[in-house]
């Protein structure tokens, strides 16, 4: 089932990139076959009673795919969309395996999907669907803090994760680590501060780090640094909204935002908060004060800009529009936004594509922090915050005594402050994005004939998964 604009399905696309990268790894065919394969595919059809008076039964199609158990639990979001299908969920689960490996998150890859148009259901109906889906996963032993840990994806968020945690814990009463069965929960239900914005923040950290590399920027015909760069964002959902926010706060200018109904453009920059409020109030992104409307949403992808951030769905950059893309960097916030054919065109054009399996890993990285928090049953910072502050106060007071000078009050507050949970989460995420980029660039340097960052990222991911199999003694 290839798409209209590619001869490859999404799952075949991931396989294509895998095969291209596999020849740079030391593994023989059998090992590669195991790394590439989707281990478990669960396809469900379950009835849910819906409607205002619960007088209608609907049969819902849903999936959970566990691509790899080289590390457990396996992990990946749950997509709510009417376009969900088995091929898509298998592709997304495979990407999760390499993504986790690249950012050194000790999980296997998985993904879920529920084939529903969320706009057609009430909150109560979505809750009933989510709880039934969770019950199906529990029945099949496809969820649990040591088995498989879902998270949010397209069409789902904190609310759905809260329902999943509640259903799981009701069915597995007394399980001490039960809260670790899902991540992306509300903070009041065991979530971690910083998870909601984590994917967008990771996108920003990754691009900011890349922009520091003068030789890479020179090749992309850009000046170093993220400040002053023009950015176009597609999709004003969780990932797109937060990517836009952090780019704007980091000194870049978000000159266009695209949504389903169209796109808006303002060369002086858009504020994502105001655009979001406008869309909520009017029901459309269009006619935002001071901005120009682009009736065809896809036209935004072809605007003159430095950084294009597709943050909606897969297959949006194809052989049809790739030749018209003017951005110098494509920051893959979404999973699989570029088709195989488009990827080749972009590489030939010298456009730097920063691949999804690295760039949008902020979500799973902070999900890992949340899972650790759930297993340790303690909030980050609780043990050391006060100790750090007391110690800093002592150091500052000694400095003042020894120098005979007083430190400015605002500066003192800054020095004394111990880390809160969100500080530690941001710091862990930034470190992860910086280190993983270094690893990808190192892989590229090791193999000078690797043509782009995507292949290098796949090489790195495959090597790490293969090494884990070796450590487990499964392969020599
Ligand atoms: P979301 O549901 O919060 O938002 C997606 C937005 O994109 C919606 O507002 C939707 O209206 C818009 N959209 C859909 N099709 C569009 C189109 N053709 N043009 C313009 N806008 C369009 O979803 P999300 O969580 O932000 O996920 C977006 C992408 O990021 C997906 O590919 C997802 O797999 C990936 N991702 C998400 C996370 C996460 O933590 N949520 C982590 C990693 C990757």
């Amino acid at each position: 089932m290839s798409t209209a604009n590619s001869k490859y399905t999404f799952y075949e696309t991931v396989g294509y990139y895998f095969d291209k990268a596999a020849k740079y790894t030391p593994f023989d065919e059998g090992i590669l076959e195991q790394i590439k394969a989707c281990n478990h595919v669960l396809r469900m059809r379950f009835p849910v009673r819906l409607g205002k008076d619960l007088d209608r039964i609907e049969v819902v199609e849903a999936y959970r795919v566990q691509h790899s158990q080289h590390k457990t639990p396996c992990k990946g979001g749950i997509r709510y969309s009417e376009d969900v299908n088995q091929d898509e969920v298998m592709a997304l689960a495979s990407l999760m395996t390499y993504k986790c490996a690249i950012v050194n998150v000790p999980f296997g890859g998985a993904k879920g999907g529920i084939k529903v148009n969320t706009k057609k259901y009430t909150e109560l109906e979505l809750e009933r669907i989510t709880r039934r889906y969770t019950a199906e996963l529990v029945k099949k032993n496809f969820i649990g803090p040591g088995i498989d840990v879902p998270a949010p994806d397209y069409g789902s968020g904190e609310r759905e994760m809260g329902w999943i945690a509640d259903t799981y814990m009701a069915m597995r009463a007394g399980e001490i680590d039960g809260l670790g069965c899902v991540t992306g929960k509300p903070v009041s239900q065991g979530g971690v501060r910083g998870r909601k914005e984590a994917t967008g923040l990771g996108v920003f950290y990754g691009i900011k780090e890349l922009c520091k590399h003068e030789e890479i920027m020179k090749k992309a015909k850009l000046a170093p640094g993220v400040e002053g760069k023009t950015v176009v964002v597609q999709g004003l959902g969780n990932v797109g909204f937060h990517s836009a926010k952090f780019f704007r706060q980091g000194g870049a200018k978000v000159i266009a935002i695209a949504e389903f109904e169209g796109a808006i453009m303002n060369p002086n920059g858009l504020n994502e908060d105001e655009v979001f409020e406008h869309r909520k109030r009017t029901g459309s992104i269009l006619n935002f004060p001071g901005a120009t409307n682009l009736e065809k949403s896809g036209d935004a992808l072809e605007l003159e800009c430095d950084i294009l951030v597709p943050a909606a769905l897969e297959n949006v950059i194809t052989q049809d529009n790739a030749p018209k893309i003017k951005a110098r960097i494509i920051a893959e916030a979404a999973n699989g936004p570029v088709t195989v054919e488009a990827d080749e065109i972009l590489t030939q054009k010298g456009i730097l594509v920063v691949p999804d399996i690295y760039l949008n890993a902020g979500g799973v990285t902070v999900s890992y922090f949340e899972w650790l928090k759930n297993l340790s049953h303690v909030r980050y910072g609780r043990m050391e915050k006060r100790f750090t502050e007391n110690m800093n106060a002592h150091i500052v007071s000694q400095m003042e005594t020894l120098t005979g000078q007083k430190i400015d009050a605002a500066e003192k507050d800054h020095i004394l402050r111990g880390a809160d949970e969100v500080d530690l989460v941001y710091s862990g995420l930034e470190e992860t994005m910086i280190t993983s980029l270094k690893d990808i660039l190192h892989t590229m340097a090791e193999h000078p004939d690797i043509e782009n960052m995507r292949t290098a990222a796949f090489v790195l991911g495959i090597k790490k998964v293969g090494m884990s199999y070796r450590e487990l003694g499964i392969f020599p």
Side-chain angles (χ1 to χ4, degrees), residues 79-80 92 96 99 111 119 151-156 195-196 198-200 233-241 258-262 279 297-298 310-314 316 332-337 356 360-364 367:
R79 179 166 288 194
Y80 286 52
L92 292 165
M96 285 306 298
K99 191 178 300 180
K111 203 82 179 190
K119 293 194 184 89
D153 189 70
Y154 186 94
S156 64
R195 172 62 184 87
K196 205 200 257 173
T199 308
V233 177
Q234 183 195 41
L236 197 61
N238 178 298
V239 178
F241 174 84
E259 255 296 337
F260 260 130
E261 62 274 13
R279 187 169 188 241
S297 172
L313 283 173
E314 57 268 17
V316 294
E332 290 193 338
N335 284 306
D356 47 8
N360 69 31
V364 76
S367 273

Side-chain angles (χ1 to χ4, degrees), residues 185-259:
K185 302 179 291 291
V187 173
S188 58
Q189 252 183 294
V192 74
R193 287 162 188 82
R195 172 62 184 87
K196 205 200 257 173
E197 65 269 37
T199 308
L201 182 57
V203 168
F204 172 69
Y205 281 150
I207 296 295
K208 182 175 147 200
E209 189 58 21
L210 187 77
C211 286
K212 287 183 186 159
H213 289 261
E214 285 188 21
E215 63 302 348
I216 296 175
M217 287 298 99
K218 207 166 143 194
K219 253 179 145 173
K221 302 196 178 71
L222 287 171
V226 103
E227 299 81 5
K229 294 268 181 302
T230 51
V231 180
V232 172
V233 177
Q234 183 195 41
L236 197 61
N238 178 298
V239 178
F241 174 84
H242 289 107
S243 299
K245 177 177 238 71
F246 291 111
F247 272 114
R248 180 180 57 75
Q249 290 177 350
K253 222 192 284 176
V254 180
I255 58 158
I257 299 178
E259 255 296 337

Side-chain angles (χ1 to χ4, degrees), residues 15-24 343-344 451-452 455 459:
Y16 176 92
Y17 294 137
F18 181 98
D19 293 342
K20 214 165 156 187
K23 58 177 182 284
Y24 296 99
D343 201 52
E344 275 162 21
E451 63 194 5
N452 59 29
T455 307
V459 172

Side-chain angles (χ1 to χ4, degrees), residues 77 148 150 164 231-233 242 262 286 288 300 320 333 338 344 359 379 387 400-401 411 418 430 438 469 474:
D148 186 350
I164 293 173
V231 180
V232 172
V233 177
H242 289 107
L286 296 170
F288 180 71
D320 297 339
V338 175
E344 275 162 21
L359 198 64
R379 170 175 52 80
F387 178 84
E400 288 182 336
T401 308
E411 197 54 45
E430 186 173 15
K438 231 182 248 163
Y469 275 119
I474 293 171

Side-chain angles (χ1 to χ4, degrees), residues 420-445:
D420 282 320
E421 180 166 86
V422 73
D423 301 315
L424 295 168
V425 164
Y426 278 21
S427 150
L429 174 59
E430 186 173 15
E431 167 65 15
T432 301
M433 295 309 291
I434 291 174
T435 309
S436 308
L437 180 66
K438 231 182 248 163
D439 290 348
I440 295 171
L441 296 178
H442 181 74
T443 305
M444 286 188 93

Side-chain angles (χ1 to χ4, degrees), residues 210-402:
L210 187 77
C211 286
K212 287 183 186 159
H213 289 261
E214 285 188 21
E215 63 302 348
I216 296 175
M217 287 298 99
K218 207 166 143 194
K219 253 179 145 173
K221 302 196 178 71
L222 287 171
V226 103
E227 299 81 5
K229 294 268 181 302
T230 51
V231 180
V232 172
V233 177
Q234 183 195 41
L236 197 61
N238 178 298
V239 178
F241 174 84
H242 289 107
S243 299
K245 177 177 238 71
F246 291 111
F247 272 114
R248 180 180 57 75
Q249 290 177 350
K253 222 192 284 176
V254 180
I255 58 158
I257 299 178
E259 255 296 337
F260 260 130
E261 62 274 13
I264 51 168
M265 190 182 94
N266 184 343
N268 298 319
L270 293 161
N271 178 308
E272 72 297 327
D273 263 323
E274 291 169 10
V275 176
F276 185 83
E277 283 310 315
H278 167 83
R279 187 169 188 241
K280 212 162 96 182
R281 212 176 43 248
T282 66
S284 167
I285 201 173
L286 296 170
N287 303 320
F288 180 71
T292 312
N293 288 339
L294 299 176
E295 297 296 339
K296 258 181 71 198
S297 172
D299 287 353
L301 302 174
E302 297 165 22
L303 289 172
E304 190 90 48
C305 67
D306 297 323
I307 305 167
L308 173 62
V309 186
L313 283 173
E314 57 268 17
N315 297 337
V316 294
I317 301 177
T318 66
Q319 56 200 338
D320 297 339
N321 59 1
K324 295 180 242 163
I325 298 244
K326 296 174 201 74
R328 299 308 308 157
I329 296 176
I330 296 184
E332 290 193 338
N335 284 306
V338 175
T339 65
V340 168
E341 295 85 353
D343 201 52
E344 275 162 21
I345 297 170
L346 298 172
T347 302
Q348 275 163 21
K349 284 179 71 169
I351 295 175
L352 183 55
V353 179
V354 189
D356 47 8
I357 49 172
Y358 159 65
L359 198 64
N360 69 31
V364 76
T365 302
V366 175
S367 273
Y368 169 47
F369 300 157
E370 180 176 332
W371 179 77
L372 291 174
K373 176 185 181 181
N374 295 148
L375 298 195
S376 63
H377 301 261
V378 64
R379 170 175 52 80
Y380 287 105
R382 177 169 177 181
M383 306 298 278
E384 66 273 23
K385 180 178 163 72
R386 187 66 52 185
F387 178 84
T388 308
E389 289 181 353
N390 290 342
M391 190 54 83
N392 290 350
H394 182 68
I395 295 168
V396 165
S397 124
Q398 283 295 303
M399 276 168 64
E400 288 182 336
T401 308
L402 290 171

